[in-house]
Amino acid sequence: QTTFGSIFLGNVPVHEEVHQCAGQIYGYEGCVRDFQVNNKELFIIDEALGGRNVENCNVPICDYHPCHNGGTCTSDAENWFCECPKLYSGKLCQFATCDENPCENGATCFPRSRQDAVCLCPYGRSGILCSDVINITQPSFSGTDVFGYTSFLAYSAIANITFYYEFRLKFQLANHHSALEDNLIFFTGQKGQGLNGDDFLELGLRNGRVVYSYNLGSGTATIMSKLLDLTLSVHVIHLGRYLQKGWLKVDDQKKRTITSPGKLVGLNVFSQFYLGGYREYTPELLPKGYRFKNSFQGCIFDVQVRTSSNQEFKSPGTPEGHPNSGRSVGQCKNNLCSLIKCRNGGKCIESGSTLYCDCLAGWKGAFCTETVSVCEPEHDPPHQCKQGGTCVPLPKGYTCHCPLGTTGTYCERG
């Protein structure tokens, strides 16, 4: 069908003949954002042949509440912006950020996604932002978390262990399968770069057995226990060394001994004494041969050491029993997830003293109470704003705010 004439949007010119219904004709007052004829988009201003009394639509964008994550929208006649709470950034406060660390008390901030961050709590702190104090008498270690960090405690270097030492400790496994595979219990070393001749002392679990190794500078000595009896809830380790001769006793197993190779008899280590794990992403400073990949999973307690057979056993640390630092270490048998409730199907994840909600698709926020909007990168399908256009959610759908020099519904022209 062929048609002639013009399409008038909003009103008609006064000289046109129109059929009046109910008397007076009123022009449209408001905004027209998208205009299509027969599924073809017409660009309202660019393709118009003429017009009068038409200006740019200035409906305050803040009326659409575009800011996410508790952000506050502020606008004037021309501009608008979101003032974001400290955990978030971006035009719409849609991104969680670690650029300005929102975590408290020296916690490690990790950007779990473009929208959410996790605070890996230091020793003695817990909670979503690590703001809560936690009293630790029996440390609980969480292994290597999904972000690649290990939980650990670091004590001052143990003095006077050159020729003689004895260690006693107890541990309780949190997860038999994963905790037995490749997990560090404690470590102290010299240079720690894994070079031949580096002195070190380490203890760990591998394939269900306790592994005790030391190097006095002329070769590594290693003792491996029998398989652990997993019917025991608490395991006891007693180990020691005098000059080249070392020994290990685990639970009620028979005491095992070894003599280190070479002629050197003194252990010279300078690093801190690490318990349960290691500071780095991967334990690259551990000696070659027995680089335990994971932090311990479970509780390690009653750790004591002495450097002479005439001394009493003491806890490591200066002052005694106090670590210098730590990360994601909780209190044994504490249930921190009982203190918070994740919403909308979210699951509470407890990693030592670190705590966060793992949200189902479509939800985000510290407690999974906020929906993922159509403008966020995680939304499926993603928005179509092009060339740096800012996606702004509307009550139904979204609009694209185009940068200078671009036009079109999706800022696709410029």
Side-chain angles (χ1 to χ4, degrees), residues 267-336:
L267 176 69
N268 299 295
V269 294
F270 312 114
S271 76
Q272 297 183 97
F273 178 74
Y274 289 93
L275 184 67
Y278 207 68
R279 183 186 301 276
E280 312 300 329
Y281 259 113
T282 56
E284 59 188 25
L285 300 183
L286 294 179
K288 290 182 178 179
Y290 285 95
R291 289 185 176 177
F292 294 96
K293 297 178 182 178
N294 301 310
S295 169
F296 188 80
Q297 296 182 56
C299 303
I300 304 175
F301 48 95
D302 294 348
V303 181
Q304 295 182 316
V305 59
R306 68 179 180 180
T307 56
S308 169
S309 59
N310 299 323
Q311 290 179 343
E312 293 184 355
F313 280 91
K314 293 183 178 181
S315 300
T318 306
E320 183 181 348
H322 290 265
N324 296 337
S325 62
R327 180 176 58 217
S328 299
V329 176
Q331 169 68 3
C332 191
K333 299 182 180 178
N334 263 16
N335 181 13
L336 294 178

Coordinates of all heavy atoms in Angstrom, one line a residue, residues 267-336:
L267 N 71.7 -26.7 61.9 CA 70.5 -26.2 61.1 C 70.5 -24.7 61.3 O 70.4 -24.2 62.4 CB 69.2 -26.8 61.6 CG 67.9 -26.2 61.0 CD1 67.8 -26.7 59.5 CD2 66.7 -26.7 61.7
N268 N 70.7 -24.0 60.2 CA 70.8 -22.5 60.2 C 69.6 -22.0 59.4 O 69.6 -21.9 58.2 CB 72.1 -22.0 59.6 CG 73.3 -22.5 60.4 OD1 73.5 -22.1 61.5 ND2 74.1 -23.3 59.7
V269 N 68.5 -21.5 60.1 CA 67.3 -21.0 59.5 C 67.1 -19.6 60.1 O 67.3 -19.3 61.2 CB 66.1 -21.9 59.7 CG1 66.3 -23.2 59.0 CG2 65.8 -22.2 61.2
F270 N 66.5 -18.7 59.2 CA 66.3 -17.3 59.6 C 64.9 -16.9 59.4 O 64.5 -15.8 59.9 CB 67.3 -16.4 58.8 CG 68.7 -16.9 58.8 CD1 69.3 -17.4 57.7 CD2 69.4 -17.0 60.0 CE1 70.6 -17.8 57.6 CE2 70.7 -17.5 60.0 CZ 71.3 -17.9 58.8
S271 N 64.1 -17.6 58.7 CA 62.7 -17.1 58.4 C 61.8 -17.2 59.6 O 62.2 -17.9 60.6 CB 62.1 -17.9 57.2 OG 61.7 -19.2 57.6
Q272 N 60.7 -16.6 59.5 CA 59.7 -16.8 60.5 C 59.2 -18.3 60.5 O 59.5 -19.0 59.6 CB 58.4 -15.9 60.2 CG 58.7 -14.4 60.2 CD 57.5 -13.6 60.0 OE1 56.8 -13.2 60.9 NE2 57.1 -13.5 58.8
F273 N 58.6 -18.6 61.6 CA 58.1 -20.0 61.7 C 56.6 -20.0 61.3 O 55.8 -19.4 61.9 CB 58.2 -20.5 63.2 CG 57.7 -21.8 63.5 CD1 58.3 -23.0 63.1 CD2 56.5 -22.0 64.2 CE1 57.8 -24.2 63.3 CE2 56.0 -23.3 64.4 CZ 56.6 -24.4 64.0
Y274 N 56.4 -20.6 60.2 CA 55.0 -20.6 59.6 C 54.3 -21.9 60.0 O 54.7 -23.0 59.9 CB 55.1 -20.6 58.0 CG 55.6 -19.3 57.5 CD1 56.9 -19.1 57.2 CD2 54.7 -18.2 57.3 CE1 57.4 -17.8 56.7 CE2 55.1 -17.0 56.8 CZ 56.5 -16.8 56.5 OH 56.9 -15.6 56.0
L275 N 53.1 -21.6 60.5 CA 52.2 -22.7 61.0 C 50.9 -22.8 60.1 O 50.3 -21.8 59.9 CB 51.8 -22.5 62.4 CG 51.0 -23.6 63.1 CD1 51.8 -24.9 63.3 CD2 50.5 -23.1 64.5
G276 N 50.6 -24.0 59.6 CA 49.4 -24.2 58.9 C 49.4 -23.9 57.4 O 48.5 -24.3 56.7
G277 N 50.3 -23.0 57.0 CA 50.3 -22.6 55.6 C 51.5 -21.6 55.4 O 52.4 -21.5 56.1
Y278 N 51.4 -20.9 54.3 CA 52.4 -20.0 53.9 C 51.9 -18.7 53.3 O 50.7 -18.7 52.8 CB 53.3 -20.7 52.8 CG 54.7 -20.2 52.8 CD1 55.6 -20.5 53.9 CD2 55.2 -19.4 51.8 CE1 56.9 -20.1 53.9 CE2 56.5 -19.0 51.8 CZ 57.4 -19.3 52.8 OH 58.7 -18.9 52.9
R279 N 52.7 -17.6 53.4 CA 52.2 -16.3 53.0 C 51.9 -16.2 51.5 O 50.9 -15.5 51.1 CB 53.2 -15.3 53.4 CG 52.8 -13.8 53.2 CD 53.9 -12.9 53.5 NE 54.3 -12.9 54.9 CZ 53.7 -12.3 55.9 NH1 52.6 -11.6 55.6 NH2 54.2 -12.4 57.1
E280 N 52.7 -16.8 50.7 CA 52.5 -16.5 49.3 C 51.3 -17.3 48.6 O 50.8 -18.2 49.2 CB 53.8 -17.0 48.5 CG 55.1 -16.5 49.2 CD 55.2 -15.0 49.2 OE1 54.6 -14.3 48.4 OE2 55.8 -14.5 50.2
Y281 N 51.0 -16.8 47.4 CA 50.0 -17.5 46.6 C 50.3 -19.0 46.5 O 49.6 -19.9 46.8 CB 49.9 -17.0 45.2 CG 48.7 -16.0 45.0 CD1 49.0 -14.7 44.8 CD2 47.4 -16.5 45.0 CE1 47.9 -13.8 44.5 CE2 46.4 -15.6 44.8 CZ 46.6 -14.3 44.6 OH 45.6 -13.5 44.4
T282 N 51.6 -19.3 46.1 CA 52.1 -20.6 46.0 C 53.3 -20.7 46.9 O 54.1 -19.7 46.9 CB 52.4 -21.1 44.6 OG1 53.4 -20.1 44.0 CG2 51.2 -21.1 43.7
P283 N 53.6 -21.8 47.5 CA 54.8 -21.8 48.4 C 56.1 -21.9 47.6 O 56.9 -22.8 47.8 CB 54.5 -23.1 49.2 CG 53.7 -24.0 48.3 CD 52.9 -23.0 47.5
E284 N 56.4 -20.9 46.8 CA 57.5 -20.9 46.0 C 58.8 -20.8 46.8 O 59.9 -21.1 46.2 CB 57.5 -19.7 45.0 CG 57.4 -18.4 45.6 CD 57.2 -17.3 44.6 OE1 56.6 -17.5 43.6 OE2 57.6 -16.1 44.9
L285 N 58.8 -20.4 48.0 CA 60.0 -20.3 48.8 C 60.3 -21.6 49.6 O 61.3 -21.7 50.3 CB 59.9 -19.2 49.8 CG 59.7 -17.8 49.2 CD1 59.7 -16.7 50.3 CD2 60.8 -17.5 48.2
L286 N 59.4 -22.6 49.5 CA 59.7 -23.9 50.1 C 60.7 -24.6 49.3 O 60.9 -24.4 48.1 CB 58.4 -24.7 50.2 CG 57.3 -24.2 51.1 CD1 56.1 -25.1 51.0 CD2 57.7 -24.0 52.5
P287 N 61.5 -25.5 50.0 CA 62.5 -26.2 49.3 C 62.0 -27.2 48.3 O 60.8 -27.7 48.4 CB 63.2 -27.0 50.5 CG 62.2 -27.1 51.5 CD 61.4 -25.8 51.4
K288 N 62.8 -27.5 47.3 CA 62.4 -28.5 46.3 C 62.2 -29.9 46.9 O 62.8 -30.2 47.9 CB 63.4 -28.5 45.2 CG 63.5 -27.3 44.3 CD 64.5 -27.4 43.2 CE 64.5 -26.2 42.3 NZ 65.5 -26.3 41.2
G289 N 61.3 -30.6 46.2 CA 61.1 -32.0 46.6 C 59.9 -32.2 47.5 O 59.1 -33.1 47.2
Y290 N 59.6 -31.3 48.4 CA 58.4 -31.4 49.2 C 57.8 -30.0 49.4 O 57.6 -29.5 50.4 CB 58.7 -32.0 50.6 CG 59.0 -33.5 50.5 CD1 60.3 -33.9 50.4 CD2 58.0 -34.4 50.5 CE1 60.6 -35.3 50.4 CE2 58.2 -35.7 50.4 CZ 59.5 -36.2 50.4 OH 59.7 -37.5 50.3
R291 N 57.4 -29.5 48.2 CA 56.6 -28.2 48.3 C 55.2 -28.5 48.5 O 54.4 -28.8 47.5 CB 56.8 -27.4 47.0 CG 58.2 -26.9 46.8 CD 58.3 -26.0 45.6 NE 59.7 -25.4 45.5 CZ 60.1 -24.6 44.5 NH1 59.3 -24.4 43.5 NH2 61.3 -24.1 44.5
F292 N 54.8 -28.4 49.7 CA 53.4 -28.7 50.0 C 52.5 -27.6 49.4 O 52.7 -26.4 49.8 CB 53.2 -28.8 51.5 CG 53.9 -30.0 52.1 CD1 55.1 -29.9 52.7 CD2 53.3 -31.3 52.1 CE1 55.8 -31.0 53.2 CE2 53.9 -32.4 52.6 CZ 55.2 -32.3 53.2
K293 N 51.6 -28.0 48.6 CA 50.9 -27.0 47.8 C 49.8 -26.3 48.6 O 49.4 -25.1 48.3 CB 50.2 -27.6 46.5 CG 51.2 -28.2 45.6 CD 50.5 -28.9 44.4 CE 51.6 -29.5 43.5 NZ 50.9 -30.3 42.4
N294 N 49.2 -26.9 49.6 CA 48.1 -26.4 50.3 C 48.3 -26.1 51.7 O 49.2 -26.7 52.3 CB 46.9 -27.4 50.1 CG 46.5 -27.7 48.7 OD1 46.4 -26.8 47.9 ND2 46.5 -29.0 48.4
S295 N 47.5 -25.2 52.2 CA 47.5 -25.0 53.7 C 46.8 -26.1 54.3 O 46.1 -26.9 53.7 CB 46.8 -23.7 54.0 OG 46.5 -23.5 55.3
F296 N 47.1 -26.3 55.6 CA 46.4 -27.3 56.4 C 44.9 -27.1 56.5 O 44.4 -26.0 56.4 CB 47.0 -27.3 57.8 CG 46.6 -28.5 58.7 CD1 47.2 -29.7 58.5 CD2 45.5 -28.3 59.6 CE1 46.8 -30.8 59.3 CE2 45.1 -29.4 60.4 CZ 45.7 -30.6 60.2
Q297 N 44.1 -28.2 56.5 CA 42.7 -28.1 56.7 C 42.3 -28.7 58.0 O 42.2 -30.0 58.1 CB 42.0 -28.8 55.5 CG 42.3 -28.1 54.2 CD 41.5 -28.8 53.0 OE1 40.3 -28.9 53.1 NE2 42.2 -29.2 52.0
G298 N 42.0 -27.9 59.0 CA 41.6 -28.4 60.3 C 42.2 -27.6 61.3 O 42.6 -26.4 61.1
C299 N 42.4 -28.1 62.5 CA 42.9 -27.4 63.7 C 44.3 -27.9 64.1 O 44.6 -29.1 64.0 CB 42.0 -27.6 64.9 SG 40.3 -27.1 64.5
I300 N 45.2 -27.0 64.4 CA 46.5 -27.3 64.9 C 46.6 -26.6 66.3 O 46.4 -25.4 66.3 CB 47.6 -26.9 64.0 CG1 47.5 -27.5 62.6 CG2 49.0 -27.3 64.6 CD1 48.5 -27.0 61.6
F301 N 46.9 -27.4 67.3 CA 46.9 -26.7 68.6 C 48.0 -27.4 69.5 O 48.6 -28.4 69.2 CB 45.6 -26.8 69.3 CG 44.9 -28.1 69.2 CD1 45.0 -29.0 70.3 CD2 44.1 -28.5 68.1 CE1 44.4 -30.2 70.3 CE2 43.5 -29.7 68.1 CZ 43.6 -30.6 69.2
D302 N 48.2 -26.8 70.7 CA 49.2 -27.2 71.7 C 50.6 -27.4 71.0 O 51.3 -28.3 71.3 CB 48.8 -28.6 72.3 CG 47.5 -28.4 73.1 OD1 47.1 -27.3 73.4 OD2 46.9 -29.5 73.5
V303 N 50.9 -26.4 70.1 CA 52.3 -26.4 69.5 C 53.3 -26.0 70.5 O 53.2 -24.9 71.1 CB 52.3 -25.5 68.3 CG1 53.7 -25.6 67.6 CG2 51.2 -26.0 67.3
Q304 N 54.3 -26.8 70.8 CA 55.4 -26.4 71.7 C 56.7 -26.9 71.2 O 56.8 -27.8 70.4 CB 55.1 -27.2 73.1 CG 53.9 -26.7 73.8 CD 53.7 -27.4 75.1 OE1 53.9 -28.6 75.2 NE2 53.4 -26.6 76.1
V305 N 57.8 -26.1 71.6 CA 59.1 -26.4 71.1 C 60.1 -26.2 72.3 O 59.9 -25.4 73.1 CB 59.5 -25.5 69.9 CG1 59.4 -24.0 70.3 CG2 60.8 -25.8 69.3
R306 N 61.2 -26.9 72.2 CA 62.3 -26.6 73.1 C 63.6 -26.9 72.3 O 63.6 -27.7 71.4 CB 62.3 -27.5 74.4 CG 62.5 -29.0 74.2 CD 62.4 -29.7 75.5 NE 62.6 -31.1 75.4 CZ 62.6 -32.0 76.5 NH1 62.4 -31.5 77.7 NH2 62.8 -33.2 76.3
T307 N 64.7 -26.2 72.7 CA 65.9 -26.3 72.0 C 67.0 -26.9 72.8 O 68.2 -26.8 72.4 CB 66.4 -24.9 71.5 OG1 66.4 -24.0 72.6 CG2 65.4 -24.4 70.5
S308 N 66.7 -27.5 73.9 CA 67.6 -28.2 74.7 C 66.8 -29.3 75.5 O 65.7 -29.0 76.0 CB 68.3 -27.3 75.7 OG 69.1 -28.0 76.7
S309 N 67.4 -30.4 75.7 CA 66.7 -31.5 76.5 C 66.6 -31.1 78.0 O 65.8 -31.7 78.7 CB 67.5 -32.8 76.4 OG 68.9 -32.6 76.9
N310 N 67.2 -30.0 78.4 CA 67.1 -29.6 79.8 C 66.1 -28.5 80.0 O 65.8 -28.1 81.1 CB 68.5 -29.1 80.3 CG 69.6 -30.2 80.3 OD1 69.3 -31.3 80.6 ND2 70.8 -29.8 79.9
Q311 N 65.5 -28.0 78.9 CA 64.6 -26.9 78.9 C 63.1 -27.5 79.0 O 62.8 -28.6 78.8 CB 64.6 -26.1 77.7 CG 65.9 -25.2 77.6 CD 65.9 -24.4 76.3 OE1 65.1 -24.7 75.3 NE2 66.7 -23.4 76.2
E312 N 62.2 -26.6 79.4 CA 60.8 -26.9 79.3 C 60.3 -26.5 78.0 O 60.8 -25.6 77.3 CB 60.0 -26.1 80.4 CG 60.3 -26.5 81.8 CD 59.5 -25.7 82.8 OE1 58.7 -24.8 82.4 OE2 59.6 -26.0 84.0
F313 N 59.2 -27.2 77.5 CA 58.6 -26.8 76.2 C 57.9 -25.5 76.4 O 57.3 -25.2 77.4 CB 57.6 -27.9 75.8 CG 58.2 -29.1 75.2 CD1 58.6 -30.2 76.0 CD2 58.4 -29.2 73.9 CE1 59.2 -31.3 75.5 CE2 59.0 -30.3 73.3 CZ 59.4 -31.4 74.1
K314 N 58.0 -24.7 75.3 CA 57.3 -23.4 75.2 C 56.6 -23.3 73.9 O 56.9 -23.9 72.9 CB 58.3 -22.3 75.4 CG 58.9 -22.2 76.8 CD 59.9 -21.0 76.9 CE 60.5 -20.9 78.2 NZ 61.4 -19.7 78.4
S315 N 55.6 -22.4 73.9 CA 54.9 -22.1 72.6 C 55.7 -21.1 71.8 O 56.5 -20.3 72.4 CB 53.5 -21.4 72.9 OG 52.7 -22.3 73.7
P316 N 55.7 -21.2 70.5 CA 56.5 -20.3 69.7 C 55.9 -18.9 69.7 O 54.8 -18.7 70.2 CB 56.3 -20.9 68.2 CG 55.1 -21.7 68.3 CD 54.9 -22.2 69.7
G317 N 56.7 -18.0 69.3 CA 56.3 -16.6 69.3 C 56.9 -15.7 70.3 O 57.5 -16.1 71.3
T318 N 56.9 -14.4 70.0 CA 57.4 -13.3 70.9 C 56.4 -12.2 71.0 O 56.2 -11.5 70.0 CB 58.7 -12.8 70.4 OG1 59.7 -13.8 70.2 CG2 59.3 -11.8 71.4
P319 N 55.7 -12.1 72.1 CA 55.8 -12.9 73.3 C 55.3 -14.3 73.1 O 54.6 -14.6 72.0 CB 54.9 -12.1 74.3 CG 54.0 -11.4 73.5 CD 54.7 -11.0 72.3
E320 N 55.5 -15.2 74.0 CA 55.2 -16.6 73.8 C 53.8 -16.8 73.5 O 52.9 -16.3 74.1 CB 55.5 -17.3 75.1 CG 55.3 -18.8 75.0 CD 55.6 -19.6 76.3 OE1 56.2 -18.9 77.3 OE2 55.2 -20.7 76.5
G321 N 53.5 -17.6 72.4 CA 52.2 -17.9 71.9 C 51.5 -16.9 71.0 O 50.4 -17.2 70.6
H322 N 52.2 -15.8 70.7 CA 51.6 -14.8 69.9 C 52.2 -14.7 68.6 O 53.4 -14.4 68.4 CB 51.7 -13.4 70.6 CG 50.9 -13.3 71.9 ND1 49.7 -12.7 71.9 CD2 51.1 -13.7 73.1 CE1 49.2 -12.7 73.1 NE2 50.1 -13.3 73.9
P323 N 51.5 -14.9 67.5 CA 52.0 -14.8 66.1 C 52.2 -13.4 65.7 O 51.6 -12.4 66.3 CB 50.9 -15.5 65.3 CG 49.7 -15.3 66.0 CD 50.0 -15.3 67.5
N324 N 53.2 -13.2 64.8 CA 53.4 -11.8 64.2 C 52.3 -11.4 63.3 O 51.9 -10.3 63.2 CB 54.7 -11.8 63.5 CG 55.9 -12.0 64.4 OD1 55.8 -11.8 65.6 ND2 57.0 -12.4 63.9
S325 N 51.8 -12.4 62.5 CA 50.7 -12.1 61.5 C 50.0 -13.4 61.2 O 50.4 -14.5 61.6 CB 51.4 -11.5 60.3 OG 52.3 -12.4 59.7
G326 N 49.0 -13.3 60.4 CA 48.2 -14.5 59.9 C 47.1 -14.1 59.0 O 46.9 -12.9 58.7
R327 N 46.5 -15.1 58.4 CA 45.4 -14.8 57.4 C 44.4 -15.9 57.4 O 44.8 -17.1 57.4 CB 46.0 -14.6 56.0 CG 44.9 -14.3 54.9 CD 45.6 -14.1 53.6 NE 46.4 -15.2 53.1 CZ 47.5 -15.1 52.4 NH1 48.0 -13.9 52.2 NH2 48.2 -16.1 52.1
S328 N 43.1 -15.6 57.5 CA 42.0 -16.5 57.3 C 42.1 -17.7 58.3 O 41.9 -18.8 58.0 CB 41.9 -17.1 55.9 OG 41.7 -16.0 55.0
V329 N 42.5 -17.4 59.6 CA 42.6 -18.4 60.6 C 41.5 -18.2 61.6 O 41.3 -17.0 62.1 CB 44.0 -18.3 61.3 CG1 44.0 -19.3 62.5 CG2 45.1 -18.6 60.4
G330 N 40.7 -19.2 61.9 CA 39.6 -19.1 62.8 C 39.8 -19.8 64.1 O 40.9 -20.4 64.3
Q331 N 38.8 -19.9 64.9 CA 38.8 -20.7 66.1 C 38.2 -22.0 65.9 O 37.2 -22.2 65.3 CB 38.1 -19.9 67.2 CG 37.8 -20.7 68.5 CD 39.1 -21.0 69.3 OE1 40.2 -20.6 68.9 NE2 39.0 -21.8 70.4
C332 N 38.9 -23.1 66.3 CA 38.5 -24.4 66.1 C 37.1 -24.7 66.6 O 36.8 -24.2 67.7 CB 39.5 -25.4 66.8 SG 39.2 -27.1 66.3
K333 N 36.3 -25.3 65.8 CA 34.9 -25.7 66.2 C 33.9 -24.5 66.2 O 32.8 -24.6 66.6 CB 34.8 -26.5 67.5 CG 35.6 -27.8 67.4 CD 35.4 -28.6 68.7 CE 36.2 -29.9 68.6 NZ 36.2 -30.7 69.8
N334 N 34.4 -23.3 65.9 CA 33.5 -22.1 65.8 C 32.7 -22.3 64.5 O 33.2 -22.8 63.5 CB 34.3 -20.8 65.7 CG 34.3 -20.2 67.1 OD1 34.0 -20.8 68.1 ND2 34.7 -18.9 67.1
N335 N 31.5 -21.8 64.5 CA 30.6 -21.8 63.3 C 30.2 -20.3 63.0 O 29.2 -19.9 63.4 CB 29.4 -22.7 63.5 CG 28.5 -22.7 62.3 OD1 28.9 -22.3 61.2 ND2 27.3 -23.1 62.4
L336 N 31.1 -19.6 62.3 CA 30.9 -18.2 62.0 C 29.7 -18.1 61.1 O 29.0 -17.0 61.2 CB 32.1 -17.6 61.3 CG 33.4 -17.5 62.2 CD1 34.5 -16.9 61.3 CD2 33.1 -16.7 63.4

